Amino acid sequence: MKCDVAVIGGGPAGATAANELAKAGLCVALLERNLNNAKPCGGAIPLGLIEEFEIPDELIERKVTRMAVRAPSGRVIEMSMPNGYVGMVRRERFDKFLRERAAQSGALLIEAKVQAVKAHDSGYKISADGNNQGVTEIEAQYVIGADGANSKTAHELDFPPNEFKAVAIQQRFHYAPELSRYENLVEIWFDGEVSPDFYGWIFPKADHIAVGTGTEDTRGNIKQLQKRFREKLNWSVEPYYEEAAKIPMHPRKTFVKGNAMLVGDAAGLVTASNGEGIFFAMKSGKMAAHTLLNVLAGREKSLAKYEKTFRRTYFPIYTGLALLQWLYYRNDRLRESFVAICEDKHVQQITFDSYLYKKMVPAPLWVQAKIVAKNLYHLAIGH
Ligand SMILES: Cc1cc2nc3c(=O)[nH]c(=O)nc-3n(C[C@H](O)[C@H](O)[C@H](O)COP(=O)(O)OP(=O)(O)OC[C@H]3O[C@@H](n4cnc5c(N)ncnc54)[C@H](O)[C@@H]3O)c2cc1C
């Protein structure tokens, strides 16, 4: 089979790229190894994503407007979002919707696991194993690798490695009366016993609560951390489902090579500090698709423009969040200071504004000065 573009991986990044390209009339094959995939994920998405990508209301299982951060000492700061909410989706429903939307736009959705991607003439030859349907061979002029943290596409095409992967685990709990306070509350635990370098989370969904933790320390035992988290929570309910996966929190050195582009986790586009990846997966998928359309229309010289634009637009966020994690997530004394700073209303406002719409709204100078002073003060006193 021949087509213009093969998109490998039908998660948020791949489904978004395929949708944009198919809408523009290109012949697009969207290859997904498992159409019933439930990607291990907290499923928290910002309002800006919901609006830009027109996510239907019925997919948003909770619109959470309250957030609590908990320090190692047990101190809890609760805050509310005046101008929006964090949307909670379940990935098995969310990804399916995005893939079906791409198919409705004209993408050819194929359930098959890609085994090989080889340069061929001026394009690529892709071999994929379609379970009972045998091997599918696709020739495409362009390839978009959207196949997640362990990207086969990146490996086959010799992209530089995904350097930095955290691992995260999550368990699902049915609602019980003792958990009712979480129905409109996201709770984040900054506690070295729950994670030595990341955080633990409690996210509400329609019919369950997701509890998870992550770490970059691959020598540690993620299951032990989750066990400790549950001991500390001391809930009487037992989880009914467990899931785990890697989180690539460091962009690859390059994510464009020849006629191939990597998007989302395949490119390593999860932000440090909060582990957010869905927004950046969809934005990178869209940007890659639009760059390709511009190249084909002669408006742009090369696909390298995609990487350049992505880095220019979002790298201040990646750098800022990496700095935040480095500064505050190293020990409990620093975590305690971090939670103390979250009590400041301006810090809360800046955090929510920048999370919801990924725009850094510059605060007045006196507010910036106050925040710097508070940071120094809490770092010095350690709480
Ligand atoms: C426990 C956990 C919690 C998280 N919580 C959040 C959160 O709350 N909010 C947030 O924004 N981010 C979160 N993330 C990160 C987020 O899940 C990812 O950043 C996001 O899924 C990236 O989307 P993607 O499309 O790039 O990759 P993926 O979602 O990984 O999709 C890749 C797709 O490619 C398919 N695939 C892989 N290999 C092949 C192959 N060889 N052939 C064909 N198909 C293939 C897979 O089946 C999959 O469907 C979390 C991650 C973890 C692990």
mmCIF file of all heavy atoms in Angstrom, residues 153-181:
data_model
loop_
_atom_site.group_PDB
_atom_site.id
_atom_site.type_symbol
_atom_site.label_atom_id
_atom_site.label_comp_id
_atom_site.label_asym_id
_atom_site.label_seq_id
_atom_site.Cartn_x
_atom_site.Cartn_y
_atom_site.Cartn_z
ATOM 1 N N THR A 153 10.000 3.767 15.910
ATOM 2 C CA THR A 153 10.359 4.615 14.766
ATOM 3 C C THR A 153 11.714 5.281 15.017
ATOM 4 O O THR A 153 12.595 5.267 14.151
ATOM 5 C CB THR A 153 9.300 5.731 14.572
ATOM 6 O OG1 THR A 153 8.006 5.152 14.647
ATOM 7 C CG2 THR A 153 9.472 6.443 13.257
ATOM 8 N N ALA A 154 11.868 5.855 16.211
ATOM 9 C CA ALA A 154 13.119 6.555 16.532
ATOM 10 C C ALA A 154 14.291 5.584 16.499
ATOM 11 O O ALA A 154 15.370 5.898 15.991
ATOM 12 C CB ALA A 154 13.003 7.194 17.908
ATOM 13 N N HIS A 155 14.052 4.389 17.025
ATOM 14 C CA HIS A 155 15.109 3.376 17.061
ATOM 15 C C HIS A 155 15.496 2.966 15.640
ATOM 16 O O HIS A 155 16.679 2.926 15.283
ATOM 17 C CB HIS A 155 14.602 2.176 17.863
ATOM 18 C CG HIS A 155 15.577 1.054 17.923
ATOM 19 N ND1 HIS A 155 16.693 1.101 18.728
ATOM 20 C CD2 HIS A 155 15.622 -0.120 17.252
ATOM 21 C CE1 HIS A 155 17.385 -0.010 18.556
ATOM 22 N NE2 HIS A 155 16.762 -0.766 17.663
ATOM 23 N N GLU A 156 14.496 2.692 14.818
ATOM 24 C CA GLU A 156 14.752 2.227 13.451
ATOM 25 C C GLU A 156 15.460 3.290 12.613
ATOM 26 O O GLU A 156 16.257 2.972 11.749
ATOM 27 C CB GLU A 156 13.414 1.865 12.774
ATOM 28 C CG GLU A 156 12.792 0.588 13.284
ATOM 29 C CD GLU A 156 13.508 -0.639 12.749
ATOM 30 O OE1 GLU A 156 13.327 -0.960 11.581
ATOM 31 O OE2 GLU A 156 14.276 -1.252 13.513
ATOM 32 N N LEU A 157 15.129 4.551 12.864
ATOM 33 C CA LEU A 157 15.695 5.623 12.034
ATOM 34 C C LEU A 157 16.900 6.300 12.693
ATOM 35 O O LEU A 157 17.333 7.369 12.256
ATOM 36 C CB LEU A 157 14.609 6.651 11.686
ATOM 37 C CG LEU A 157 13.447 6.091 10.845
ATOM 38 C CD1 LEU A 157 12.401 7.168 10.590
ATOM 39 C CD2 LEU A 157 13.937 5.512 9.516
ATOM 40 N N ASP A 158 17.424 5.671 13.744
ATOM 41 C CA ASP A 158 18.654 6.152 14.394
ATOM 42 C C ASP A 158 18.579 7.583 14.908
ATOM 43 O O ASP A 158 19.527 8.365 14.744
ATOM 44 C CB ASP A 158 19.849 6.045 13.423
ATOM 45 C CG ASP A 158 20.373 4.634 13.370
ATOM 46 O OD1 ASP A 158 20.235 3.926 14.390
ATOM 47 O OD2 ASP A 158 20.888 4.244 12.305
ATOM 48 N N PHE A 159 17.470 7.923 15.519
ATOM 49 C CA PHE A 159 17.401 9.229 16.198
ATOM 50 C C PHE A 159 18.251 9.153 17.469
ATOM 51 O O PHE A 159 18.444 8.061 18.014
ATOM 52 C CB PHE A 159 15.949 9.551 16.574
ATOM 53 C CG PHE A 159 15.158 10.201 15.477
ATOM 54 C CD1 PHE A 159 14.488 9.434 14.529
ATOM 55 C CD2 PHE A 159 15.090 11.583 15.381
ATOM 56 C CE1 PHE A 159 13.758 10.032 13.519
ATOM 57 C CE2 PHE A 159 14.364 12.184 14.368
ATOM 58 C CZ PHE A 159 13.696 11.412 13.432
ATOM 59 N N PRO A 160 18.728 10.295 17.971
ATOM 60 C CA PRO A 160 19.441 10.260 19.252
ATOM 61 C C PRO A 160 18.518 9.717 20.342
ATOM 62 O O PRO A 160 17.299 9.866 20.235
ATOM 63 C CB PRO A 160 19.791 11.723 19.533
ATOM 64 C CG PRO A 160 19.346 12.505 18.370
ATOM 65 C CD PRO A 160 18.593 11.641 17.427
ATOM 66 N N PRO A 161 19.067 9.093 21.378
ATOM 67 C CA PRO A 161 18.210 8.399 22.357
ATOM 68 C C PRO A 161 17.316 9.332 23.178
ATOM 69 O O PRO A 161 17.615 10.507 23.340
ATOM 70 C CB PRO A 161 19.218 7.705 23.276
ATOM 71 C CG PRO A 161 20.504 8.411 23.053
ATOM 72 C CD PRO A 161 20.489 8.984 21.683
ATOM 73 N N ASN A 162 16.217 8.767 23.679
ATOM 74 C CA ASN A 162 15.366 9.426 24.668
ATOM 75 C C ASN A 162 16.119 9.298 25.985
ATOM 76 O O ASN A 162 16.122 8.246 26.610
ATOM 77 C CB ASN A 162 14.033 8.658 24.770
ATOM 78 C CG ASN A 162 12.841 9.540 24.526
ATOM 79 O OD1 ASN A 162 12.950 10.753 24.451
ATOM 80 N ND2 ASN A 162 11.679 8.929 24.399
ATOM 81 N N GLU A 163 16.786 10.377 26.416
ATOM 82 C CA GLU A 163 17.803 10.233 27.460
ATOM 83 C C GLU A 163 17.270 9.938 28.852
ATOM 84 O O GLU A 163 17.875 9.260 29.638
ATOM 85 C CB GLU A 163 18.598 11.535 27.557
ATOM 86 C CG GLU A 163 19.537 11.724 26.403
ATOM 87 C CD GLU A 163 20.046 13.144 26.325
ATOM 88 O OE1 GLU A 163 19.912 13.876 27.321
ATOM 89 O OE2 GLU A 163 20.561 13.513 25.272
ATOM 90 N N PHE A 164 16.126 10.470 29.131
ATOM 91 C CA PHE A 164 15.786 10.638 30.521
ATOM 92 C C PHE A 164 14.365 10.182 30.757
ATOM 93 O O PHE A 164 13.421 10.842 30.363
ATOM 94 C CB PHE A 164 15.930 12.132 30.783
ATOM 95 C CG PHE A 164 15.863 12.537 32.197
ATOM 96 C CD1 PHE A 164 16.794 12.073 33.093
ATOM 97 C CD2 PHE A 164 14.878 13.396 32.627
ATOM 98 C CE1 PHE A 164 16.740 12.475 34.406
ATOM 99 C CE2 PHE A 164 14.818 13.806 33.931
ATOM 100 C CZ PHE A 164 15.753 13.344 34.819
ATOM 101 N N LYS A 165 14.232 9.004 31.339
ATOM 102 C CA LYS A 165 12.876 8.483 31.509
ATOM 103 C C LYS A 165 12.584 8.245 32.980
ATOM 104 O O LYS A 165 13.315 7.519 33.647
ATOM 105 C CB LYS A 165 12.733 7.169 30.753
ATOM 106 C CG LYS A 165 12.724 7.328 29.250
ATOM 107 C CD LYS A 165 12.652 5.967 28.589
ATOM 108 C CE LYS A 165 12.952 6.063 27.109
ATOM 109 N NZ LYS A 165 13.372 4.801 26.535
ATOM 110 N N ALA A 166 11.522 8.848 33.438
ATOM 111 C CA ALA A 166 11.035 8.511 34.774
ATOM 112 C C ALA A 166 10.086 7.328 34.605
ATOM 113 O O ALA A 166 9.619 7.044 33.507
ATOM 114 C CB ALA A 166 10.295 9.692 35.365
ATOM 115 N N VAL A 167 9.820 6.648 35.693
ATOM 116 C CA VAL A 167 8.828 5.585 35.621
ATOM 117 C C VAL A 167 7.699 5.954 36.584
ATOM 118 O O VAL A 167 7.940 6.575 37.624
ATOM 119 C CB VAL A 167 9.470 4.205 35.917
ATOM 120 C CG1 VAL A 167 10.077 4.149 37.284
ATOM 121 C CG2 VAL A 167 8.477 3.083 35.723
ATOM 122 N N ALA A 168 6.467 5.652 36.179
ATOM 123 C CA ALA A 168 5.329 6.032 37.020
ATOM 124 C C ALA A 168 4.351 4.876 37.123
ATOM 125 O O ALA A 168 4.202 4.073 36.198
ATOM 126 C CB ALA A 168 4.634 7.255 36.440
ATOM 127 N N ILE A 169 3.698 4.811 38.264
ATOM 128 C CA ILE A 169 2.721 3.742 38.516
ATOM 129 C C ILE A 169 1.426 4.394 38.985
ATOM 130 O O ILE A 169 1.453 5.477 39.590
ATOM 131 C CB ILE A 169 3.267 2.758 39.578
ATOM 132 C CG1 ILE A 169 2.395 1.518 39.686
ATOM 133 C CG2 ILE A 169 3.400 3.420 40.939
ATOM 134 C CD1 ILE A 169 3.045 0.395 40.493
ATOM 135 N N GLN A 170 0.313 3.756 38.691
ATOM 136 C CA GLN A 170 -0.972 4.317 39.103
ATOM 137 C C GLN A 170 -1.946 3.184 39.410
ATOM 138 O O GLN A 170 -1.950 2.170 38.732
ATOM 139 C CB GLN A 170 -1.506 5.170 37.954
ATOM 140 C CG GLN A 170 -2.811 5.861 38.237
ATOM 141 C CD GLN A 170 -3.182 6.843 37.132
ATOM 142 O OE1 GLN A 170 -2.881 8.016 37.211
ATOM 143 N NE2 GLN A 170 -3.839 6.360 36.105
ATOM 144 N N GLN A 171 -2.757 3.383 40.447
ATOM 145 C CA GLN A 171 -3.791 2.398 40.776
ATOM 146 C C GLN A 171 -5.151 3.079 40.787
ATOM 147 O O GLN A 171 -5.258 4.252 41.145
ATOM 148 C CB GLN A 171 -3.509 1.778 42.155
ATOM 149 C CG GLN A 171 -2.256 0.920 42.157
ATOM 150 C CD GLN A 171 -1.895 0.425 43.549
ATOM 151 O OE1 GLN A 171 -1.968 1.178 44.515
ATOM 152 N NE2 GLN A 171 -1.510 -0.833 43.652
ATOM 153 N N ARG A 172 -6.170 2.323 40.399
ATOM 154 C CA ARG A 172 -7.533 2.873 40.382
ATOM 155 C C ARG A 172 -8.336 2.309 41.549
ATOM 156 O O ARG A 172 -8.291 1.101 41.809
ATOM 157 C CB ARG A 172 -8.232 2.511 39.072
ATOM 158 C CG ARG A 172 -7.544 3.085 37.849
ATOM 159 C CD ARG A 172 -8.288 2.701 36.579
ATOM 160 N NE ARG A 172 -7.592 3.180 35.390
ATOM 161 C CZ ARG A 172 -8.095 3.150 34.166
ATOM 162 N NH1 ARG A 172 -9.299 2.653 33.956
ATOM 163 N NH2 ARG A 172 -7.408 3.604 33.144
ATOM 164 N N PHE A 173 -9.089 3.198 42.200
ATOM 165 C CA PHE A 173 -9.929 2.816 43.339
ATOM 166 C C PHE A 173 -11.367 3.231 43.046
ATOM 167 O O PHE A 173 -11.593 4.348 42.580
ATOM 168 C CB PHE A 173 -9.491 3.561 44.615
ATOM 169 C CG PHE A 173 -8.105 3.216 45.082
ATOM 170 C CD1 PHE A 173 -6.991 3.766 44.470
ATOM 171 C CD2 PHE A 173 -7.917 2.340 46.142
ATOM 172 C CE1 PHE A 173 -5.706 3.455 44.897
ATOM 173 C CE2 PHE A 173 -6.644 2.021 46.583
ATOM 174 C CZ PHE A 173 -5.530 2.576 45.958
ATOM 175 N N HIS A 174 -12.312 2.363 43.341
ATOM 176 C CA HIS A 174 -13.713 2.773 43.242
ATOM 177 C C HIS A 174 -13.998 3.800 44.331
ATOM 178 O O HIS A 174 -13.383 3.768 45.399
ATOM 179 C CB HIS A 174 -14.640 1.563 43.436
ATOM 180 C CG HIS A 174 -14.608 0.618 42.260
ATOM 181 N ND1 HIS A 174 -14.916 1.023 40.981
ATOM 182 C CD2 HIS A 174 -14.311 -0.701 42.174
ATOM 183 C CE1 HIS A 174 -14.801 -0.004 40.156
ATOM 184 N NE2 HIS A 174 -14.426 -1.056 40.844
ATOM 185 N N TYR A 175 -14.948 4.688 44.046
ATOM 186 C CA TYR A 175 -15.336 5.661 45.077
ATOM 187 C C TYR A 175 -15.912 4.939 46.289
ATOM 188 O O TYR A 175 -16.553 3.901 46.157
ATOM 189 C CB TYR A 175 -16.396 6.631 44.532
ATOM 190 C CG TYR A 175 -15.785 7.753 43.734
ATOM 191 C CD1 TYR A 175 -15.744 7.693 42.346
ATOM 192 C CD2 TYR A 175 -15.237 8.858 44.369
ATOM 193 C CE1 TYR A 175 -15.169 8.715 41.607
ATOM 194 C CE2 TYR A 175 -14.657 9.886 43.643
ATOM 195 C CZ TYR A 175 -14.627 9.805 42.263
ATOM 196 O OH TYR A 175 -14.045 10.812 41.549
ATOM 197 N N ALA A 176 -15.635 5.508 47.451
ATOM 198 C CA ALA A 176 -16.218 5.008 48.698
ATOM 199 C C ALA A 176 -16.533 6.254 49.518
ATOM 200 O O ALA A 176 -15.947 7.318 49.265
ATOM 201 C CB ALA A 176 -15.209 4.126 49.421
ATOM 202 N N PRO A 177 -17.449 6.165 50.487
ATOM 203 C CA PRO A 177 -17.806 7.370 51.254
ATOM 204 C C PRO A 177 -16.579 8.098 51.816
ATOM 205 O O PRO A 177 -16.509 9.321 51.794
ATOM 206 C CB PRO A 177 -18.692 6.818 52.376
ATOM 207 C CG PRO A 177 -19.286 5.575 51.795
ATOM 208 C CD PRO A 177 -18.257 4.999 50.876
ATOM 209 N N GLU A 178 -15.559 7.342 52.250
ATOM 210 C CA GLU A 178 -14.378 7.995 52.844
ATOM 211 C C GLU A 178 -13.575 8.805 51.812
ATOM 212 O O GLU A 178 -12.711 9.608 52.171
ATOM 213 C CB GLU A 178 -13.464 6.952 53.506
ATOM 214 C CG GLU A 178 -12.829 5.994 52.511
ATOM 215 C CD GLU A 178 -11.959 4.911 53.156
ATOM 216 O OE1 GLU A 178 -10.937 5.251 53.753
ATOM 217 O OE2 GLU A 178 -12.325 3.724 53.040
ATOM 218 N N LEU A 179 -13.848 8.581 50.507
ATOM 219 C CA LEU A 179 -13.081 9.284 49.468
ATOM 220 C C LEU A 179 -13.878 10.409 48.814
ATOM 221 O O LEU A 179 -13.429 10.998 47.833
ATOM 222 C CB LEU A 179 -12.634 8.293 48.385
ATOM 223 C CG LEU A 179 -11.879 7.047 48.868
ATOM 224 C CD1 LEU A 179 -11.439 6.207 47.688
ATOM 225 C CD2 LEU A 179 -10.669 7.445 49.700
ATOM 226 N N SER A 180 -15.059 10.696 49.345
ATOM 227 C CA SER A 180 -15.943 11.642 48.649
ATOM 228 C C SER A 180 -15.324 13.043 48.548
ATOM 229 O O SER A 180 -15.642 13.796 47.636
ATOM 230 C CB SER A 180 -17.312 11.705 49.326
ATOM 231 O OG SER A 180 -17.133 12.101 50.656
ATOM 232 N N ARG A 181 -14.397 13.377 49.440
ATOM 233 C CA ARG A 181 -13.806 14.723 49.378
ATOM 234 C C ARG A 181 -12.979 14.925 48.101
ATOM 235 O O ARG A 181 -12.675 16.040 47.708
ATOM 236 C CB ARG A 181 -12.983 15.005 50.630
ATOM 237 C CG ARG A 181 -11.565 14.476 50.627
ATOM 238 C CD ARG A 181 -10.892 14.792 51.954
ATOM 239 N NE ARG A 181 -9.441 14.761 51.872
ATOM 240 C CZ ARG A 181 -8.689 15.813 51.603
ATOM 241 N NH1 ARG A 181 -9.226 16.975 51.377
ATOM 242 N NH2 ARG A 181 -7.377 15.706 51.550
#
